[in-house]
Amino acid sequence: MSETQTIQDWDEIIGIKPLKKTIDDARLIARLEKPKGTVDVILDTDTYNEIDDQFALAYLIKSNEKLNLKAIYAAPFYNHHSQGPGDGMEKSYHEILKVLKLMERPEFEKVTYRGSTAYLPNEKEPVVSPAAQDLVRRAMERADDNPLYVVAIGAITNIASAILLEPAIIHKIVVIWLGGNAHDWHNNREFNLYQDVAAARIVFGCGVPLVQLPCMGVVSTFTTTGPELTYWLKGKNALCDYLLENTVREAELVGQSKCWSRAIWDVTAVAWLLDRRFMFERLEPSPIPEYDDRWAFDRRRHFIKYVYGINRDPLFEDLFTKLAK
């Protein structure tokens, strides 16, 4: 390359389109700092998919000293618990209502919305849903210096759809997503991501302030066991008994051994907003989720906040103490 040849020229030679940054680096980095004071939060959750979404929803509601829950969105999923993404979303919607009833928090029922009934058909077309429309409305009502925090713990279809419906919301929200595997993991075939790779590519590529909590290799260390759950939760209240019974039942359903442990990973996405002690993080250029279950990397891309470690014990202590109240 000659001294006068630009990076853009080189991009054209090798066939890469120059990257366009929609939010300047300084503002983006500032937005990725943990917020001070009470913040407004939305939870996007495939609640019926597993047993940890219920923990995360309850933990968020019981962390009202810091988190002001504004809305709950049901996310699509498809596995042995559903007959398809739409059925998974509908079952998640009703599971959210069940948890709210156990917690005796009916005020949140009116701000619980159904999400997408299908995954994105491509990277340009949104799946319109009450959840995506609500996120656009709430985000656009915000001042740029008072973002809405979106905690996403399922396939990220609803969030990507909202961004496609109104790209300007990237200036008004911060997304905290539990999805994908560690950047040095041997593959990227993670449930939340591989269900809707198109949606993940939108969220990682659009420049929205994004905090990523990877599953295998990072959050997979956040595990608990039957005896530990029994000690902390049994008999404390109706919610705790349900969480315990549901976790034990799921362990039996998937055929785990007598000495089983479960990663209650969805809790960590909520915890990122609460206390610096709970995890370790750094800035990384946004990776590219590929359709072949791999990450691709380009060091010139905008920054995201990447969580690379979980401080298990203080987080579990905070979780169990709040759930048992």
Side-chain angles (χ1 to χ4, degrees):
M1 184 184 298
S2 70
E3 294 182 2
T4 59
Q5 196 169 31
T6 65
I7 292 295
Q8 285 75 19
D9 294 333
W10 185 246
D11 288 336
E12 292 174 3
I13 292 171
I14 63 176
I16 298 176
K17 294 180 179 179
L19 296 168
K20 296 180 180 179
K21 294 183 178 179
T22 54
I23 301 178
D24 69 83
D25 286 342
R27 186 163 177 262
L28 182 62
I29 292 170
R31 185 61 58 87
L32 289 171
E33 290 296 317
K34 288 187 187 296
K36 298 178 181 178
T38 304
V39 295
D40 292 339
V41 181
I42 284 173
L43 181 67
D44 186 79
T45 165
D46 57 348
T47 326
Y48 197 79
N49 158 51
E50 254 277 11
I51 50 86
D52 49 346
D53 293 77
Q54 294 89 331
F55 281 86
L57 172 58
Y59 187 42
L60 199 164
I61 291 174
K62 286 177 173 283
S63 297
N64 59 357
E65 79 286 353
K66 173 73 175 179
L67 308 180
N68 179 25
L69 181 59
K70 304 299 289 186
I72 309 167
Y73 302 153
F77 76 90
Y78 181 30
N79 63 8
H80 58 283
H81 286 306
S82 73
Q83 297 177 355
D87 180 55
M89 183 281 296
E90 188 66 23
K91 287 178 175 176
S92 293
Y93 176 81
H94 289 287
E95 183 72 2
I96 293 166
L97 299 182
K98 182 176 183 177
V99 173
L100 295 177
K101 184 176 181 180
L102 286 168
M103 297 183 71
E104 300 181 357
R105 301 301 298 269
E107 70 273 23
F108 290 116
E109 293 180 9
K110 63 183 179 182
V111 291
T112 299
Y113 298 90
R114 288 177 169 88
S116 306
T117 57
Y119 304 130
L120 292 186
N122 53 58
E123 296 177 32
K124 296 182 179 180
E125 297 178 62
V127 178
V128 180
S129 68
Q133 292 172 319
D134 183 74
L135 178 54
V136 170
R137 178 183 65 81
R138 290 180 188 275
M140 294 307 293
E141 291 174 350
R142 313 288 296 192
D144 286 356
D145 60 351
N146 184 28
L148 182 63
Y149 288 83
V150 182
V151 176
I153 51 178
I156 204 158
T157 311
N158 294 333
I159 314 309
S161 294
I163 291 170
L164 289 174
L165 287 170
E166 177 48 80
I169 69 171
I170 71 169
H171 300 280
K172 303 189 180 271
I173 64 174
V174 176
V175 178
I176 301 122
W177 188 40
L178 186 136
N181 289 329
H183 293 181
D184 58 354
W185 198 251
H186 59 274
N187 68 44
N188 199 29
R189 188 166 176 77
E190 183 277 320
F191 185 71
N192 289 348
L193 193 153
Y194 76 66
Q195 291 184 96
D196 196 343
V197 179
R201 286 169 66 88
I202 289 166
V203 173
F204 277 94
C206 69
V208 68
L210 174 65
V211 179
Q212 184 199 3
L213 292 101
C215 292
M216 294 308 299
V218 179
V219 178
S220 54
T221 63
F222 189 68
T223 60
T224 187
T225 64
E228 184 175 43
L229 289 172
T230 300
Y231 175 83
W232 283 97
L233 301 183
K234 187 175 182 179
K236 297 299 191 296
N237 53 51
L239 169 71
C240 286
D241 284 339
Y242 176 67
L243 294 174
L244 172 60
E245 293 165 5
N246 201 33
T247 306
V248 173
R249 183 169 55 249
E250 180 69 13
E252 294 173 349
L253 178 65
V254 299
Q256 290 190 268
S257 66
K258 293 181 179 180
C259 296
W260 58 265
S261 64
R262 299 289 295 185
I264 313 294
W265 27 32
D266 287 343
V267 168
T268 62
V270 175
W272 184 84
L273 286 164
L274 294 176
D275 196 316
R276 293 179 183 275
R277 297 177 304 148
F278 293 159
M279 55 198 65
F280 308 98
E281 58 193 46
R282 62 177 181 258
L283 292 171
E284 286 283 346
S286 182
I288 305 164
E290 298 285 23
Y291 287 98
D292 63 354
D293 299 327
R294 296 289 187 271
W295 289 116
F297 300 96
D298 184 339
R299 304 298 295 180
R300 298 167 300 170
R301 282 166 65 90
H302 61 278
F303 287 114
I304 65 167
K305 184 63 69 72
Y306 177 75
V307 174
Y308 63 88
I310 304 296
N311 194 4
R312 178 203 183 276
D313 293 352
L315 176 47
F316 262 121
E317 182 177 352
D318 190 57
L319 171 68
F320 289 146
T321 300
K322 287 176 177 175
L323 292 179
K325 284 184 179 179

